[in-house]
Amino acid sequence: MNIAALIKKLTFLFFILIHNLTFGQTFLNGDFEINTAGGIDQINLTNPAYNAMMANSVAFGSYGDMDIITSAVYSGGPQSGLWYVALTGGGTDMCSLTLSAPLVLGTSYTISFYDKGDANFVPTPVIIGLSNTNSSFGTLIYTAPSASVTGMWTNRTFTFTAPLTGQYITVSQLGTLANWTQVDHFTFGSCALTIDLGNDTTICQGQALALNATTPNSTYLWQDNSTNPTFNVTAAGTYTVTVTDNNSCVGTDAIQVAVSANPTPTITGQTSFCQ
């Protein structure tokens, strides 16, 4: 191989390396799993308190009321992993998520994340920004088309063209301090499983309903933290499952089950008769 051909080949390989480094962005803590919360729900954290506990994420809202949650108390557990984050609306709570590398101006990207509402609060749509600092919202790149659904994780996937070379995806919510939304599982690209537990239904008292979320090469997490692919329902309530396959793709579904009381029969009619 002559010198010119060798230089051309090395230049091509260098371009491929730079291309992969440039376009291989990931969220450094998109599932909020890297934290020091100690296995306990951390509610109403000030910005400094949140920042001290959560890696690669900075809270900078005007009020400072962030939450790092692990339990299923707030209308269901995490969408992926063990932790999720909740924030109030109207800029009172905002946080940034650090990317492994800055985005490239004018390049198209696809981001996927999940949001969920709580029965005790009114959620509003989540908004997403891109910033070149970790403590400002930056430029708006996405507004969710609808508010979060109570008790159920909703996948949001959107494609945008980078308006700047920012290295921080920022998260906030429309509304006011009275609004509250939970978010989890920020990834690049679309990677969601379709899980179907069936329509909401009613069973009779004493009857059981078998829910089946079986998906090849997957793990399962139900609302009570059980991990079987199936769940046996005997009581009224909302039942939720999160399924994660071996490619880290995630899907979730929920079903509302009511229980109808059995009828109490009453016998009427003649109670005596002649021999």
Side-chain angles (χ1 to χ4, degrees):
M1 180 182 295
N2 59 40
I3 297 298
L6 178 61
I7 292 174
K8 184 176 181 181
K9 185 174 182 180
L10 290 175
T11 302
F12 176 76
L13 292 175
F14 179 75
F15 171 78
I16 292 297
L17 174 62
I18 295 301
H19 184 275
N20 287 338
L21 289 175
T22 301
F23 295 96
Q25 288 87 352
T26 59
F27 287 92
L28 297 184
N29 193 12
D31 284 331
F32 307 105
E33 298 302 296
I34 308 173
N35 65 70
T36 58
I40 302 171
D41 293 344
Q42 301 290 337
I43 306 299
N44 299 337
L45 295 172
T46 64
N47 290 339
Y50 174 90
N51 298 342
M53 292 184 184
M54 185 66 69
N56 298 304
S57 178
V58 172
F60 56 91
S62 61
Y63 184 76
D65 194 29
M66 296 288 294
D67 308 300
I68 307 173
I69 306 172
T70 187
S71 74
V73 172
Y74 302 98
S75 298
Q79 200 281 331
S80 177
L82 300 175
W83 296 92
Y84 57 105
V85 163
L87 61 165
T88 55
T92 57
D93 277 346
M94 290 190 282
C95 68
S96 63
L97 301 176
T98 305
L99 304 178
S100 58
L103 301 188
V104 178
L105 176 66
T107 300
S108 180
Y109 297 91
T110 299
I111 286 180
S112 177
F113 71 96
Y114 288 78
D115 59 42
K116 176 169 66 72
D118 179 79
N120 297 314
F121 298 88
V122 177
T124 57
V126 171
I127 57 175
I128 303 295
L130 175 64
S131 179
N132 52 25
T133 68
N134 64 3
S135 57
S136 65
F137 184 78
T139 302
L140 178 70
I141 58 173
Y142 174 75
T143 300
S146 60
S148 304
V149 179
T150 297
M152 179 176 176
W153 288 104
T154 300
N155 177 235
R156 313 287 188 178
T157 300
F158 64 97
T159 299
F160 68 101
T161 299
L164 49 98
T165 57
Q167 194 169 352
Y168 304 95
I169 293 297
T170 55
V171 186
S172 188
Q173 181 193 189
L174 299 175
T176 67
L177 180 61
N179 302 110
W180 197 57
T181 288
Q182 303 156 8
V183 293
D184 197 6
H185 197 50
F186 285 79
T187 60
F188 273 86
S190 176
C191 186
L193 301 176
T194 300
I195 308 300
D196 186 10
L197 296 178
N199 297 327
D200 294 347
T201 189
T202 300
I203 61 176
C204 296
Q205 188 175 2
Q207 182 182 6
L209 173 66
L211 302 179
N212 191 344
T214 301
T215 305
N217 303 313
S218 297
T219 59
Y220 310 88
L221 182 65
W222 294 86
Q223 73 290 328
D224 65 346
N225 293 323
S226 61
T227 57
N228 293 321
T230 59
F231 191 91
N232 201 42
V233 176
T234 58
T238 300
Y239 296 86
T240 305
V241 65
T242 297
V243 181
T244 305
D245 70 9
N246 58 5
N247 293 317
S248 297
C249 295
V250 180
T252 188
D253 194 27
I255 183 173
Q256 182 76 36
V257 179
V259 176
S260 179
N262 291 326
T264 302
T266 301
I267 300 175
T268 62
Q270 185 177 343
T271 59
S272 64
F273 54 92
C274 296
Q275 185 174 4

